[in-house]
Amino acid sequence: MKSNESLIYVIFGASGDLTKRKLVPALYSLFVQNLLPDNFALLGTSRSVFSDEEFRVSMKAAITEFKEIDDISRIDDFVKKIFYQPIKFDDASTYIALKARIQELRKQYNICHNTIFYLSTPPSLYGVIPQHLASVNLNKQTNGWKRLIIEKPFGYDLESALKLKDQLMQDWKEEQLFRIDHYLGKETVQNLLVARFSNGIFEPLWNRNFIHHVEITSAESIGVEKRGNYYDGSGALRDMVQNHLLQVVGLTAMEPPTSLESDSIRHEILKVFQSFRPIKCEEVKDVAVRGQYMSSKIKGKQVPGYREEEGVNPNSNTETYAALKFYIDNWRWGGVPFYIRTGKKLPTRVTEVVIHFRPTPHFLFANESTVQSENQLVIRIQPDEGILLKFGMKTPGAGFEVQTVNMDFHYSDLTAQRIPSAYERLINDAIKGDSTLFARTEEVIEAWKFLMPVLECWKNDKDVPLYGYPAGTWGPEQAQQMFDEPDTTWRSPCKNLTNDGNYCEL
Ligand code: BG6
């Protein structure tokens, strides 16, 4: 639905990669679908000095290269709405100039006071910029709303997250804050809600009586690419688990919300986070495994190890793989282990939630069949979005040999329609003021609280190993030992192993 209100969209960090690759292509895509207001201006701002025209040229090139929609016939109309204003992020006087520019654009293009400020800057500026905006009253909602969209990470640990929360809350209200977790903008992450709450058959089984364990994997085949500098100060737990993976856990484990209102859904996710059983430092070595990829051959080509990557300390102890086992102490999930893992340079790119159901109480076919069928529901978030149900069927012929078969639904079969990117969806939601798919302050704080013992133990306890794993493999073998039963393992999402080793594609 088109927003009828006019709007100025200000991007801080406009000369950066995210603006080029994601933000401006997503805005262009909304523009082509007539989802932006007619009176709209995009004001880029960063330390670099560009004229409006220079910035337009670079944004036009970015849209052409990273476009999310095939139609680029309206690109010239769109770039006419783009402007640029250099800024010194920590210099109060440049915010006066920024405000004057915003006022000039409002007047010139008949735009009301509705304004979005998108922070796509280094996280160290997340406290500073909003404070400066408030000092020139750009947070005041008197003649139109003002919203702040913030990229992750929201803090580096619990202490810094609490500090950031206090800084933001001094001048901004929770309803003005939109913390982007792009996993929540993924179509199939939202589909988790539909799969669970629009089907009568799953929900009655969705609890400790029928579920043996839950497994969530977010694997990437890429390494740290050009982001070594940032990543080396972060690691897999901060980069992926604290936000993306825990949000997926929240949606998988939450109670049915009372409505689709944003507060109702976010409240249920928060309750899940509040029910995480705290991990004690002495348990960390048994319930958390960390690893770092080492040089190896992938598809016949030697690839560098993490410590050889650009921007990475050659003695770095930053983890590129993290696996955790934990419990949610509530009535629905009491005693059900959750296993989550993420890593870079794994054999393939895949994100999936696997619900492992309990086996039948008595396996009638034990004499005829060597394996008991496993009932699993696999919710594939990416790529090849879909749902797969595994169950036992009789192998044709004499006897009762059981084999596990798949009932497989691919999201692509549902529609030939383009699925909007996560950024497109989330930017559109922020314009409409719908915060359902954005992380709330309390969720962020609870997520940090839960992970702090692991982070601290990994930092301080020299006896907790950091395992190496060859790039292109499924991470440290020690992650297999996290399971309660010795014959339980992580699901291997690859269909085919290629013949030159263990690197595979879906
Ligand atoms: C980002 C992380 O938030 O998510 C990256 O900082 C990671 O390290 C990326 O590569 C993964 O996102 P996606 O959408 O490719 O799964």
Side-chain angles (χ1 to χ4, degrees):
M1 205 173 63
K2 182 176 180 135
S3 165
N4 289 322
E5 298 170 321
S6 52
L7 164 70
I8 296 196
Y9 202 98
V10 184
I11 300 181
F12 288 86
S15 58
D17 223 35
L18 188 75
T19 304
K20 281 195 204 111
R21 285 174 182 271
K22 301 281 181 197
L23 306 184
V24 171
L27 281 163
Y28 173 68
S29 179
L30 292 172
F31 172 73
V32 171
Q33 296 165 80
N34 295 321
L35 292 170
L36 292 183
D38 294 334
N39 296 359
F40 170 85
L42 168 58
L43 178 61
T45 176
S46 73
R47 271 184 284 246
S48 317
V49 178
F50 299 119
S51 65
D52 285 346
E53 200 39 49
E54 284 166 335
F55 188 59
R56 282 180 191 149
V57 170
S58 100
M59 290 304 108
K60 189 172 169 178
I63 296 169
T64 315
E65 185 175 355
F66 302 111
K67 63 178 182 300
E68 295 182 353
I69 198 157
D70 290 336
D71 180 3
I72 52 164
S73 62
R74 295 178 62 197
I75 197 164
D76 289 323
D77 293 339
F78 179 70
V79 294
K80 277 187 205 140
K81 295 175 182 284
I82 299 184
F83 305 86
Y84 187 82
Q85 172 88 12
I87 196 168
K88 291 189 183 123
F89 292 121
D90 47 5
D91 174 356
S93 65
T94 61
Y95 289 83
I96 298 173
L98 178 74
K99 185 177 180 182
R101 186 77 200 272
I102 290 175
Q103 280 168 337
E104 182 191 310
L105 289 172
R106 281 181 188 148
K107 221 160 147 192
Q108 206 172 342
Y109 296 96
N110 193 20
I111 299 176
C112 73
H113 282 232
N114 294 342
T115 318
I116 287 184
F117 300 101
Y118 195 113
L119 304 195
S120 168
T121 61
S124 54
L125 295 168
Y126 290 175
V128 177
I129 296 173
Q131 271 175 351
H132 279 302
L133 289 173
S135 71
V136 291
N137 289 330
L138 278 170
N139 61 333
K140 294 276 178 305
Q141 308 222 72
T142 23
N143 292 317
W145 45 255
K146 309 287 178 310
R147 295 179 187 143
L148 201 57
I149 308 187
I150 310 174
E151 269 294 325
K152 69 161 245 288
F154 315 115
Y156 176 77
D157 51 18
L158 180 60
E159 195 187 333
S160 55
L162 286 169
K163 188 171 163 216
L164 178 62
K165 171 188 158 215
D166 290 345
Q167 278 174 326
L168 291 171
M169 291 300 183
Q170 263 171 28
D171 305 303
W172 299 78
K173 298 200 181 83
E174 178 70 27
E175 81 224 26
Q176 295 179 277
L177 303 178
F178 290 72
R179 291 176 200 78
I180 281 226
D181 184 315
H182 78 278
Y183 263 55
L184 289 176
K186 288 182 193 281
E187 188 70 18
T188 30
V189 172
Q190 297 151 41
N191 202 32
L192 258 167
L193 287 178
V194 179
R196 285 191 58 195
F197 302 128
S198 81
N199 293 297
I201 57 168
F202 296 132
E203 206 45 29
L205 307 180
W206 211 265
N207 59 53
R208 61 190 302 276
N209 298 327
F210 298 96
I211 293 178
H212 182 267
H213 68 279
V214 177
E215 178 186 339
I216 299 177
T217 293
S218 183
E220 293 184 90
S221 51
I222 56 167
V224 288
E225 312 298 296
K226 301 270 172 236
R227 298 165 69 229
N229 237 324
Y230 148 77
Y231 194 88
D232 210 30
S234 169
L237 209 65
R238 288 186 170 89
D239 186 51
M240 290 292 291
V241 177
Q242 193 274 342
N243 32 71
H244 308 324
L245 260 74
L246 290 187
Q247 286 292 341
V248 175
V249 171
L251 288 167
T252 307
M254 70 194 256
E255 294 302 314
T258 47
S259 74
L260 284 181
E261 292 294 307
S262 103
D263 270 350
S264 173
I265 293 179
R266 298 199 302 177
H267 188 60
E268 295 305 335
I269 295 180
L270 177 65
K271 277 161 58 188
V272 173
F273 287 13
Q274 287 168 335
S275 311
F276 287 147
R277 185 184 299 173
I279 295 174
K280 299 193 192 87
C281 189
E282 57 273 23
E283 292 168 346
V284 168
K285 57 181 185 333
D286 300 321
V287 301
V289 170
R290 57 175 168 168
Q292 191 185 76
Y293 64 82
M294 300 180 305
S295 173
S296 91
K297 261 193 177 162
I298 294 180
K299 293 186 173 171
K301 205 175 139 216
Q302 194 69 34
V303 299
Y306 175 69
R307 292 181 184 180
E308 292 134 18
E309 300 276 20
E310 192 186 317
V312 171
N313 175 347
N315 300 314
S316 172
N317 279 336
T318 298
E319 79 286 357
T320 59
Y321 174 98
L324 270 190
K325 172 187 174 189
F326 61 90
Y327 292 90
I328 298 173
D329 283 339
N330 63 19
W331 277 51
R332 184 186 284 266
W333 296 111
V336 177
F338 278 67
Y339 297 90
I340 63 177
R341 63 175 168 169
T342 182
K344 295 210 181 273
K345 281 272 185 253
L346 300 189
T348 192
R349 174 175 185 251
V350 67
T351 302
E352 62 176 30
V353 177
V354 188
I355 308 293
H356 294 259
F357 291 97
R358 289 187 186 284
T360 52
H362 167 63
F363 188 44
L364 198 56
F365 310 101
N367 289 341
E368 311 261 345
S369 207
T370 42
V371 276
Q372 179 157 11
S373 55
E374 290 176 61
N375 290 137
Q376 293 173 4
L377 183 72
V378 182
I379 302 172
R380 265 189 319 257
I381 287 167
Q382 64 185 18
D384 187 15
E385 296 85 351
I387 291 195
L388 169 77
L389 182 64
K390 286 177 162 290
F391 55 98
M393 280 282 113
K394 180 178 170 304
T395 303
F400 277 103
E401 194 173 338
V402 177
Q403 68 179 62
T404 301
V405 296
N406 292 344
M407 203 187 265
D408 202 356
F409 163 73
H410 300 262
Y411 217 57
S412 52
D413 295 341
L414 192 64
T415 171
Q417 255 184 14
R418 186 184 71 90
I419 297 180
S421 76
Y423 275 96
E424 185 179 323
R425 166 74 202 251
L426 294 173
I427 289 174
N428 194 22
D429 281 3
I431 294 175
K432 291 189 298 187
D434 180 353
S435 55
T436 313
L437 301 175
F438 294 81
R440 211 160 78 172
T441 304
E442 296 102 308
E443 289 168 42
V444 173
I445 301 297
E446 286 300 326
W448 279 121
K449 266 190 206 159
F450 174 57
L451 293 178
M452 279 324 288
V454 182
L455 286 167
E456 268 163 13
C457 188
W458 280 358
K459 186 171 149 214
N460 302 327
D461 189 342
K462 301 283 172 271
D463 292 339
V464 179
L466 167 71
Y467 300 105
Y469 61 95
T473 65
W474 278 109
E477 278 170 17
Q478 287 75 4
Q480 292 301 342
Q481 287 150 23
M482 302 171 77
F483 289 88
D484 291 337
E485 290 97 5
D487 51 350
T488 310
T489 57
W490 295 95
R491 191 182 108 84
S492 167
C494 294
K495 276 192 196 137
N496 306 308
L497 291 184
T498 52
N499 15 357
D500 62 342
N502 38 24
Y503 197 77
C504 62
E505 275 156 15
L506 283 176

